[in-house]
Amino acid sequence: MTERNRIGGELLPWIVTLAWIFAILFGLMLLVSAPFGTAIQGFLDGAFGGRRFAFLMATLSRATLIVGMALSVMLSFRAGLFNIGGEGQLVAGGLVSALVAVLLPGPPLLVLAVAMLAGMAAGAVWALLAGILQIYVGVPLLVGSLLLNFPIRYIASYLVAHPFRDVESGMVQSHLAPQGTWLPYFPGVRLDIGILFIVATSIFAIVYSYTTVHGYHSRMNGLSGDFARAVGLPVRRLTLQTLAMSGAIAGLVGAIAVFGIHHRYIDGMLVQPLYAWTGIIAVLLVGMIPWLVPLSGFFFAAIQTGAAGMERAAGVPKEIALVMQAVIILFVASRVSGALLQGTRKGEDDGA
Amino acid sequence: MLDLFADASFLASIPRFVTPILLAALGGAICERAGVFNIGLEGMMLTGAFFAVLGAYFGGSPYLGALAAILAGMAMGAIFAEFNVRRGGDAIVVSIAINLLAAGITTFLLRAIFDVAGAFRDPAIAGFRPIHIPAIADIPVIGPILSGQSILFYLALALVIALHVFFARHRLGLRIRAAGENPAALTAGGVSPQRVRLAALLMCGALCGLAGAQLSIANVNLFVENMSAGRGWIAVVAVLLTRGRPLPLFLIALLFGAVDSLSFRVQGFGLPQQFTDMMPYLATLVVLTILSWVRLKRSA
C-alpha cells in the first residue's frame, strides 16, 4: 500500500481524471457562457499575477491559513483521530486571541505573544473537549468534534455582537487590536509575516511525524489502536496530547488571521471562507503525506484566488472554486487515501 | 411558562422543524443499514432545497419542485455511489466532498441561473400549502400538530412505518440489511452488495432531496445559501444514535425538531438570537452525550 507504487504505476487513470475535471470546469463555464480565454487568463492572473504580484500575495496569505488548518488536522488524521472540528478550534483561537489583545494592557509585543498563546490554548481546549467526550463518554470523535463547531460559532458571534462589539463601526465585530500587535508586512509587498509561523509549524509537523518517538507512537496508535495498547503505549494520553497539538495549531491559525489580516474578530470571518474544510481536503488530496501538505494547501488557495480572478475577468461565479475542489477530491482522494483512512473506521471494510 | 408549550402556533411549528431532520435521517438510516457511512446528508439536503426552488419556479408547481429535489438528491446519491461503492473511495472523504460540492454547486447555480447572491425569493416560486384535516384540527394540543402541515410531513410519518416494514419484510430491505451486516452472505446468495448499496444511496438521496424541499418550498418560499445550516449533521447524529432503526429514529428526530422549533419560539423572550440558534446543537450534543455514556456503562 505504499503510495509511491500506486501513483507511479498507473498514469492513464490520472490523465482520465484530469480530463474529467477539465470537462466539468468547461461545462460550468459554458453554462454561464463565459469566454474561455478571458476566464483562464483571469484565473492565472487572479492566482499569481497583479501589480507587484498583489494577487500572488493574496494567494500566499490564504495558503497560510489553509496550510495551517491542514497541518492541524493532519496530525490528528495520522494518529487515526478523525477530528473534523478544526473549524471550532480555529474560531476559539481567533476569538480568544482577539479579545485578549483588546482587553490586555501592556507593551504591544508582549500582548501579541500572550494573545497568540491564549489563542493556541483556546484551540487546544476545544479539541480536548472532543477528545474527552470520546474517551470518557464514548461519543465518536468524528461526531463530537463536528458538533462542537456549532456552539463556539454562536458564542463567538454573541460575544462580538454584544459585550465586545465595536458599536461605532456599525458591523458585528470586536474592537480593533492595538496597532503595535499587528503582524508586519514583508517589505514592499502586502503579505504579513504570519506565513513564517506556518512555515515553522510545517517544519515542526514534518520533523515531528518523521523523527520523534511521540510522533511514531501516535502514528502507530493510528494504524492499529489494539497493537498500540498491546505493546503498552499510553493510548488515551497519546490521543489527548495529539488532539491538543492539533487544536493548538488551529488556534494559532485563528490568531494569525486576526493579527495578520483583520486585526480584530469579525463575525464569520473564519467560518465563511471554509478554511477548515479546505484544510481537510488539502490533507486528503495528498494522502496525509506531511511534506506534500504545504503544496496542496497552496494549490487549493490558488484555485480560490484564481476563481476570484475569473469572476472579475469573465463573470464566472467564484463559487466554481468549491465545485472544483470537491470534484478534485472525489476523483483523486478516492484513489489515494482510501486505504490510509481504513484504520479510522474499523469493521467497515467487508472485503466484498 | 406552560402556555409557551401549549400554544397552538408553537405546536403547529414543530412538524416544520421535525420534517426535514426526519426525512434526511430516514435516508441516512437506509445507508447505515446498507453499511454505507454517509455523513453527506447535509449536502444532499442542501442540493434538494435548491432544486426544489428551481423546479417550483420554472414548473409552477410545488410537486414539480419536489420532483426536481428528489432527482437532484438521487444524482448526489449516484455520485456518492460512483466514488464510494464503485471506485472504493473512503465514505468519509466522499461525504466531505459531497457536502462541499453541494455548497459550491448551489451557490454557483444560484448566481448562474437567477443572477443573485445570498438568497433568491420570488412570488413565482410555488410552495406547498398546508393541508387542513377537518376532524383532527379541533382536537386540543395534537390538532395543531397533526393538521395544517405540508404534505411532506404526512409523507415523512408514513415513511417511518413504511421503512420499518421495509427493513423487516421487503426483499430489498432485507438485502440492504444483509449488505450492512453480512455482505459475504449476500454475495454467496448471488446478489451484489454493491448494487444494493447503490440502491440505498439513491433512496437516501431522494429522501434528503425531499428534506431540502421541506426547507425551501414548504417552510418558506425561498432559497438561501447554506440553508440546511447543520440540520443534516443533526440527522447524522440521529442515525448514529439509533443505528438506523426507523421507530427510535422517529422519536429522536421528534426531539431534535421540537428543540429546533422551541429555539425559534423563545427568541421572543429577550434571549440573544445566538443562544437560541445554538440550542438544537447543544440539545443534540447533550442527548448524544447521555446516550453514549449509558451505552459505554452498559458495555463496560
Side-chain angles (χ1 to χ4, degrees), chain A residues 17 20 28-29 31-32 77 82 84 133-140 142-144 146-148 150-155 157-158 161-162 172 267 274 277-278 280-281 284 311 315-320 322-323 325-327 329-331 333-335 337-338 341-342 344-345 348 350 352, chain B residues 32 35-37 39 79 83-84 87-94 96-105 107-109 111-113 117 179 183-184 187 193-194 197 225-226 229-230 233-234 236-237 240 272-275 277-278 281-282 284-285 288-294 296-297:
Chain A
T17 298
W20 263 107
L28 289 174
M29 294 201 324
L31 196 72
V32 291
F77 285 7
F82 222 97
I84 52 174
L133 278 178
Q134 158 157 297
I135 292 179
Y136 298 103
V137 187
V139 175
L142 180 81
V143 186
L146 180 107
L147 278 179
L148 281 169
F150 294 99
I152 188 71
R153 188 192 291 183
Y154 292 116
I155 291 171
S157 174
Y158 168 75
H162 295 285
V172 183
D267 193 20
L274 295 174
W277 290 104
T278 312
I280 290 173
I281 65 171
L284 295 176
E311 176 167 314
V316 182
K318 64 175 184 299
E319 287 78 10
I320 200 171
L322 267 179
V323 180
Q325 288 172 219
V327 169
I329 211 69
L330 278 174
F331 275 101
S334 72
R335 305 189 61 81
S337 65
L341 280 173
Q342 269 169 13
T344 63
R345 299 260 319 156
E348 284 288 307
D350 51 57
Chain B
E32 173 76 13
V36 179
F37 188 64
I39 54 171
I79 293 173
F83 288 97
N84 172 245
R87 295 179 184 238
D90 185 272
I92 298 174
V93 178
V94 173
I96 290 172
I98 287 283
N99 287 335
L100 285 175
L101 182 64
I105 203 83
T107 42
F108 179 86
L109 291 178
R111 294 186 56 192
I113 296 173
T187 313
Q194 303 202 337
R197 286 180 181 158
E225 278 176 20
N226 192 28
W233 292 107
I234 292 180
V236 167
V237 174
L240 278 177
Q273 195 198 340
Q274 286 88 357
F275 285 101
D277 284 350
M278 205 192 303
Y281 304 101
L282 278 185
T284 309
L285 254 174
L288 177 68
T289 304
I290 293 170
L291 290 182
S292 304
W293 176 259
V294 169
L296 195 73
K297 289 288 126 182

Side-chain angles (χ1 to χ4, degrees), chain A residues 23-84:
Chain A
I24 292 166
L25 182 67
F26 284 122
L28 289 174
M29 294 201 324
L30 258 175
L31 196 72
V32 291
S33 50
F36 290 144
T38 321
I40 290 182
Q41 188 60 46
F43 182 93
L44 294 174
D45 189 50
F48 310 111
R51 204 157 58 87
R52 285 162 61 196
F53 296 108
F55 294 135
L56 177 64
M57 295 306 141
T59 303
L60 283 172
S61 175
R62 186 172 276 262
T64 301
L65 305 184
I66 293 173
V67 170
M69 289 314 294
L71 294 168
S72 157
V73 294
M74 187 197 75
L75 289 186
S76 288
F77 285 7
R78 283 178 66 94
L81 304 169
F82 222 97
N83 164 25
I84 52 174

Side-chain angles (χ1 to χ4, degrees), chain B residues 49-91:
Chain B
F50 177 79
F51 279 89
V53 161
L54 194 75
Y57 177 79
F58 288 110
S61 146
Y63 294 96
L64 287 176
L67 182 68
I70 290 174
L71 292 177
M74 289 174 82
M76 291 304 249
I79 293 173
F80 198 117
E82 166 68 18
F83 288 97
N84 172 245
V85 179
R86 215 168 73 89
R87 295 179 184 238
D90 185 272

Side-chain angles (χ1 to χ4, degrees), chain A residues 269-352:
Chain A
M269 74 181 218
L270 298 171
V271 175
Q272 272 150 18
L274 295 174
Y275 293 128
W277 290 104
T278 312
I280 290 173
I281 65 171
V283 172
L284 295 176
L285 177 73
V286 295
M288 292 188 261
I289 301 164
W291 63 273
L292 284 174
V293 166
L295 295 179
S296 83
F298 179 78
F299 173 68
F300 281 120
I303 287 184
Q304 292 174 359
T305 50
M310 209 151 75
E311 176 167 314
R312 285 190 297 270
V316 182
K318 64 175 184 299
E319 287 78 10
I320 200 171
L322 267 179
V323 180
M324 292 324 297
Q325 288 172 219
V327 169
I328 290 169
I329 211 69
L330 278 174
F331 275 101
V332 178
S334 72
R335 305 189 61 81
V336 179
S337 65
L340 289 163
L341 280 173
Q342 269 169 13
T344 63
R345 299 260 319 156
K346 288 177 201 78
E348 284 288 307
D349 198 35
D350 51 57

Side-chain angles (χ1 to χ4, degrees), chain A residues 102-120:
Chain A
V102 169
L103 297 175
L104 188 73
L109 276 183
L110 184 68
V111 171
L112 176 65
V114 172
M116 292 192 90
L117 288 174
M120 292 174 75

Side-chain angles (χ1 to χ4, degrees), chain A residues 114-189:
Chain A
V114 172
M116 292 192 90
L117 288 174
M120 292 174 75
V125 165
W126 210 253
L128 278 175
L129 222 54
I132 289 167
L133 278 178
Q134 158 157 297
I135 292 179
Y136 298 103
V137 187
V139 175
L141 183 69
L142 180 81
V143 186
S145 66
L146 180 107
L147 278 179
L148 281 169
N149 286 343
F150 294 99
I152 188 71
R153 188 192 291 183
Y154 292 116
I155 291 171
S157 174
Y158 168 75
L159 289 179
V160 297
H162 295 285
F164 299 108
R165 179 169 185 175
D166 181 3
V167 181
E168 282 167 28
S169 73
M171 288 180 50
V172 183
Q173 56 187 17
S174 75
H175 290 278
L176 211 55
Q179 197 163 358
T181 62
W182 299 5
L183 294 180
Y185 287 131
F186 286 103
V189 290

